Amino acid sequence: MSKRLLVWLASWTIAAYVLLLRATCRVKYENDQRPALKEAGQNYLYAFLHAHQLAVVTHGEPGTGAMVSKSADGQLIVPALQVTRCTPVRGSKWRSWGGKGGLDAVDSLTRHVMNGRPAAIAVDGPRGPRGRVHKGIAAISQSTGAAVLCVVAVPTRRHVFDRTWDRLQIPLPFSTIQGHFSDPIHPVEGEKLEAYRQRIEASLASLESLVDPNMANVADTTATQRTHVASSAATTSEVTTEHHSAA
């Protein structure tokens, strides 16, 4: 069986599972300020973790433009977006500005938002690190004036893939998906892109720590371990260099 056929079968299996979740799961929203934003004519963007993408897609707002990686992994989620009446926008990770379709995706999502429709971005995808918000969402918000809504989805019943970089979670049928929203985050005139990116990242991390502390704590521990390993490697390199210099 060809790889293309396997990807096609897997992607439509995921789409079928999303339809099953839509039919069997309840959804509850906390601090949902979208009605007020719509009333004020304010565009908005969804910022969520890569780990939560299946829960977010399951009850995605129709017409939402969703950033999807150009990789085979990204293709897996495209049919699920289509059956929920969302619009896939293909591109690559935000850190590679101008590479592999990254800028094209930013431009496409910017136009999508300027047309009065929301956009959704897994802000630490497609390769992490977990919780690290890349610059794309801040750039789109600044160029369109759209508010950013951080979203943390917490299913009451779920399976978590502990060994994946994002700790991907899969909601289970007949569960309740609790969608927790941050207060809207607005761009500030004259603010540097990096400073705005950091504000979004801090808001999302704070929200997850509040509503899903066990997952947030695991993510913090993983980040600390990653930093410790990097520091140890740097120290070892310095010691080796000094040893060779002394020799």
Side-chain angles (χ1 to χ4, degrees), residues 18-92:
V18 165
L19 291 176
L20 173 65
L21 293 177
R22 286 173 67 87
T24 62
C25 293
R26 298 176 58 202
V27 60
K28 292 183 178 180
Y29 296 121
E30 296 290 339
N31 195 37
D32 184 1
Q33 299 189 33
R34 290 176 297 176
L37 292 173
K38 291 176 181 178
E39 182 70 21
Q42 172 70 65
N43 294 336
Y44 53 86
L45 310 167
Y46 297 107
F48 59 94
L49 295 173
H50 193 269
H52 299 162
Q53 59 182 320
L54 195 58
V56 171
V57 167
T58 296
H59 288 282
E61 181 178 353
T64 298
M67 173 69 176
V68 180
S69 168
K70 281 190 171 181
S71 67
D73 289 346
Q75 177 60 36
L76 292 174
I77 201 69
V78 169
L81 290 168
Q82 293 171 336
V83 299
T84 56
R85 294 186 294 161
C86 294
T87 303
V89 177
R90 305 303 297 271
S92 62

Side-chain angles (χ1 to χ4, degrees), residues 8 16 31 36-37 44 48 88 92 103 105 129 133 142 166 170-171 177-178 182 193 196 206 232 235:
W8 184 87
N31 195 37
L37 292 173
Y44 53 86
F48 59 94
S92 62
L103 281 179
V133 173
Q142 284 186 337
D166 59 347
I170 306 297
I177 300 175
Q178 298 169 325
S182 69
L193 183 65
Y196 190 24
S206 176
S232 298
T235 301

